Amino acid sequence: VLVQDEEWEPLVRRARRGEPLAVDALIRRLAPDVGRICGAIALDAGDDAMQETFIAVLRALPGLREPAAVHGWVRRIAVREAVKVAQRARRTPPVDTDDPASPAPRPSPAVDVATALDVRAVLAALTPEHRAILVMRDLGGWSEHDVADALAIAPGTAKSRLSRARAEFVRRWST
Amino acid sequence: VVDVSDPTSRWPQATLDPLARLGLVEAAMPGSAATEAVIDAPFDRVWGYVADLERSVPEFDRLVRRIRIRSRRPADDNDDGGAETLDMQAWQVGVPAPMRFDVRLEPGLCLMRGWGRLYFVGMAARPEGDDRTRFRHVEGVPLPGARLLRPVFRRTTAGDMAGLIAALRAR
């Protein structure tokens, strides 16, 4: 639920002026939420996604019209950056550095689920786009409208994507 | 039935290490410069030494004569980072009056704000393997136009880093 929190305002104003302790306080306050979004969407690249998110946030902070709405604004940036980082990570699969001669054996998603039945393994089997929509709706409790807005897609598309993502999640989980 | 709405630790959680956090603070402060190095000593030894600011700072920073912690507020339950807040005075070489600093100190990260809010010093460390430590030291002035001071801070942070490495080696 995106609640406009008046307490954010003084902190955002101080951070905007580049006050280092205020910048750090803002980051610390947003970190649990941003970490959850980036971790669930970008998985192993979650820490990178989190850093990219905050770089984007700090760059755009001076232009933020409503400081009180910073929380929802940052969450949207986190989703966008995490999807971007996750897509990039998919295109460049990790290489086994211990044995440069052979590419890293990537376990198939089905094997992952069978061997480690946890949320992470199930999430890893989904596309970044499906992870993003599950994180927003089912972990974050965002409204359909906010989800569609964050992903820049039509509400109807968000709805059908969510049902496909949920079905995929449950199917992978029960495999 | 799978409860996908359970917001517990079962969902992967990303984090920022102290160097990443300090890097973000720097990114918001154009009038800053940093020196980073990998120190040939384990994290506990490096941070154990650095965090004792009254002893360490006058040893590794040749521009500081003396440091005094006037008060120390321990981490409280409301603080997520487990940080202490210090009220600190620093006497610089050739300057009779001390400069007051507000300090936030937590494992691997020290953020100091002095001279009103016009001067910032930051230090961050994380283990680099078992035996080494990546250390970043930043100084800056959070004011528009302070970009011109970057060469100064590049020099002072590099000097402090050399002092820190020498002090750790001598111990």
Side-chain angles (χ1 to χ4, degrees):
Chain A
V1 186
L2 298 178
V3 180
Q4 297 217 345
D5 183 352
E6 295 304 323
E7 284 175 31
W8 288 99
E9 213 162 330
L11 188 56
V12 170
R13 291 194 190 288
R14 286 175 51 216
R16 258 179 179 171
R17 289 197 294 265
E19 274 186 43
L21 295 193
V23 171
D24 183 63
L26 185 66
I27 291 167
R28 276 187 288 116
R29 197 154 161 199
L30 293 163
D33 222 17
V34 171
R36 210 151 38 228
I37 291 169
C38 292
I41 297 174
L43 302 175
D44 288 344
D47 292 1
D48 289 345
M50 195 170 177
Q51 180 124 16
E52 301 276 328
T53 297
F54 280 115
I55 288 170
V57 164
L58 292 172
R59 199 171 289 148
L61 198 61
L64 175 64
R65 283 208 200 107
E66 292 175 71
V70 66
H71 196 183
W73 176 73
V74 168
R75 291 181 4 159
R76 284 195 295 278
I77 294 175
V79 169
R80 211 169 49 222
E81 293 297 325
V83 170
K84 219 191 295 175
V85 169
Q87 286 169 337
R88 207 161 59 208
R90 275 181 110 198
R91 281 197 296 274
T92 52
V95 176
D96 186 355
T97 48
D98 291 329
D99 181 8
S102 69
R106 297 269 293 164
S108 74
V111 173
D112 268 348
V113 175
T115 53
L117 200 92
D118 61 8
V119 174
R120 190 185 186 90
V122 177
L123 288 172
L126 307 182
T127 63
E129 291 79 3
H130 280 177
R131 290 200 292 269
I133 206 151
L134 280 178
V135 167
M136 285 186 277
R137 283 289 278 155
D138 293 332
L139 181 65
W142 299 29
S143 73
E144 259 168 31
H145 175 268
D146 289 328
V147 167
D149 188 41
L151 295 174
I153 54 179
T157 311
K159 201 170 184 172
S160 57
R161 190 181 290 179
L162 175 66
S163 60
R164 279 201 306 275
R166 278 182 177 153
E168 187 66 5
F169 186 94
V170 172
R171 192 180 71 76
R172 296 279 180 186
W173 187 277
S174 52
T175 300
Chain B
V1 177
V2 179
D3 180 11
V4 292
S5 65
D6 181 14
T8 61
S9 56
R10 302 184 69 183
W11 286 74
Q13 177 87 23
T15 53
L16 290 173
D17 72 30
L19 266 87
R21 251 171 72 200
L22 184 59
L24 290 168
V25 170
E26 283 173 65
M29 191 172 31
S32 66
T35 297
E36 188 171 312
V38 175
I39 299 175
D40 205 9
F43 173 84
D44 287 345
R45 191 161 106 75
V46 173
W47 198 255
Y49 171 69
V50 168
D52 184 1
L53 300 168
E54 285 183 330
R55 191 175 56 173
S56 66
V57 176
E59 274 181 18
F60 72 70
D61 186 341
R62 58 191 177 80
L63 298 177
V64 175
R65 281 190 286 135
R66 184 183 162 217
I67 292 281
R68 182 176 151 233
I69 309 290
R70 294 171 68 197
S71 69
R72 186 182 278 270
R73 211 180 70 221
D76 59 45
D77 295 339
N78 296 325
D79 196 308
D80 47 345
E84 284 183 289
T85 316
L86 314 181
D87 180 353
M88 189 181 93
Q89 286 177 311
W91 281 264
Q92 291 183 289
V93 172
V95 183
M99 189 192 280
R100 228 197 109 238
F101 280 91
D102 294 316
V103 180
R104 183 187 159 87
L105 183 63
E106 60 185 90
L109 189 66
C110 178
L111 305 176
M112 308 194 250
R113 182 181 67 184
W115 209 6
R117 289 174 175 170
L118 297 181
Y119 178 47
F120 170 77
V121 182
M123 296 186 282
R126 70 155 183 251
E128 187 94 345
D130 288 341
D131 304 326
R132 303 198 302 165
T133 305
R134 184 168 289 275
F135 195 94
R136 190 168 180 87
H137 178 38
V138 179
E139 290 184 28
V141 168
L143 285 180
R147 209 180 279 270
L148 293 169
L149 294 169
R150 290 180 67 177
V152 176
F153 294 134
R154 219 169 283 143
R155 267 201 310 278
T156 52
T157 55
D160 292 349
M161 186 69 82
L164 174 61
I165 291 168
L168 282 163
R169 210 172 276 151
R171 293 172 59 79

